[in-house]
Amino acid sequence: MARNKSLPKKLRLGKAKKISGNVPTWVVQKTKGKVRWTPHSRRHWRSQRIKS
């Protein structure tokens, strides 16, 4: 990927990074461990690309 990125690409990458974080601990406790991750956090950087 280019070192110099366009603003829309940067915004998409930033959003993907925020989404891919862990679920808060209180959510895991409230759902009794049934919810441990979001579908977004299952994305792998090498196998799934973000639209450019």
Side-chain angles (χ1 to χ4, degrees):
M1 186 188 319
R3 183 164 63 174
N4 298 325
K5 296 165 191 58
S6 63
L7 180 62
K9 178 79 172 184
K10 274 188 187 179
L11 294 174
R12 281 191 293 274
L13 288 169
K15 184 175 181 181
K17 186 175 182 199
K18 287 178 193 171
I19 287 175
S20 68
N22 294 334
V23 174
T25 310
W26 65 269
V27 174
V28 177
Q29 289 176 344
K30 189 173 182 180
T31 58
K32 297 180 181 157
K34 291 181 181 177
V35 176
R36 290 191 178 269
W37 50 76
T38 61
H40 305 288
S41 66
R42 307 304 287 172
R43 186 185 70 79
H44 190 260
W45 68 272
R46 199 160 193 174
S47 61
Q48 292 178 331
R49 292 285 158 202
I50 298 171
K51 290 183 180 178
S52 54

